[in-house]
Amino acid sequence: MIFYKGQIINPENFRQPSFFISPFRTSDLGKNDSIVKDDSPSDEELLKKFHSFFGKTHEYFLSGKEAINQALRFYNLESDDEVLILTTTSNLYVSSCVTKEIEKFCQWSREKTNKTKLIFVIHEFGKVYPDMERIKSYNIPIIEDCAMSMLSNNSQHQTGQYGDFTIYSVPK
């Protein structure tokens, strides 16, 4: 390691700063940390915390794929029906965890057509889909995927409440 005019030049690896890019604020991380540090909440306390976030009507699954599958199953989709997938980034990439589950029932598309029977909105990387009111006006069932945006919200504090189903992933 060399010091030059108050700067460290060629520092050892352990002196290198770490940078993490995340959609979460420090206060969100602090909130999660306090939950983890609560070593032994009673079952009643734990359920109270979950109910305060998810509401009283929720179901737990072992994976996000299983939750997507169960939500899609509810609609009795036909093989020639389509699910419109919308994302906040408008990126062409959509995780195969989503598309493969949809393909078990029907086709998927990135554009609304006369075959569109369901809208699957993915709130990506902490960014909330900006025009949920317009999507709601289509009067087509909506599934909101908040797996990567669990603690994110829009100005109306409605994220996760537009959809007929909302999917969260606690590990993500």
Side-chain angles (χ1 to χ4, degrees):
M1 172 172 63
I2 303 169
F3 288 98
Y4 176 73
K5 293 186 180 182
Q7 296 180 358
I8 299 174
I9 299 175
N10 297 327
E12 295 92 346
N13 283 339
F14 72 91
R15 294 188 189 272
Q16 295 287 340
S18 296
F19 297 96
F20 297 96
I21 298 173
S22 170
F24 303 106
R25 298 179 304 255
T26 302
S27 60
D28 297 329
L29 298 174
K31 186 176 180 182
N32 288 346
D33 187 52
S34 70
I35 292 169
V36 170
K37 286 182 178 174
D38 190 357
D39 292 331
S40 56
S42 69
D43 289 346
E44 187 176 302
E45 290 172 314
L46 194 55
L47 279 175
K48 191 175 180 179
K49 286 180 182 182
F50 279 139
H51 289 318
S52 73
F53 185 82
F54 295 113
K56 291 199 177 192
T57 55
H58 58 272
E59 194 168 337
Y60 300 101
F61 295 95
L62 294 176
S63 70
K65 292 192 307 187
E66 187 179 346
I68 292 169
N69 187 289
Q70 289 299 310
L72 291 168
R73 187 178 305 275
F74 180 82
Y75 293 104
N76 299 314
L77 297 162
E78 307 270 331
S79 60
D80 61 336
D81 291 337
E82 286 183 358
V83 172
L84 169 60
I85 299 175
L86 300 174
T87 62
T88 55
T89 62
S90 300
N91 188 347
L92 296 178
Y93 172 79
V94 176
S95 171
S96 65
C97 294
V98 172
T99 58
K100 287 186 185 223
E101 289 306 312
I102 293 171
E103 289 168 355
K104 291 177 181 177
F105 297 91
C106 63
Q107 303 168 46
W108 58 273
S109 171
R110 297 303 302 265
E111 295 182 23
K112 187 176 178 301
T113 71
N114 61 347
K115 292 182 176 185
T116 302
K117 302 293 186 226
L118 177 73
I119 301 172
F120 195 97
V121 178
I122 303 172
H123 303 290
E124 298 175 298
F125 312 114
K127 289 189 67 163
V128 175
Y129 191 82
D131 201 1
M132 289 302 295
E133 289 296 333
R134 180 177 57 85
I135 301 306
K136 189 88 171 157
S137 74
Y138 293 153
N139 292 318
I140 296 174
I142 299 170
I143 297 174
E144 284 185 84
D145 183 340
C146 296
M148 295 296 287
S149 298
M150 186 166 162
L151 299 175
S152 299
N153 221 328
N154 62 6
S155 60
Q156 298 82 24
H157 300 284
Q158 296 291 311
T159 303
Q161 296 180 30
Y162 292 97
D164 302 287
F165 289 90
T166 302
I167 297 168
Y168 293 97
S169 178
V170 176
K172 289 183 180 173

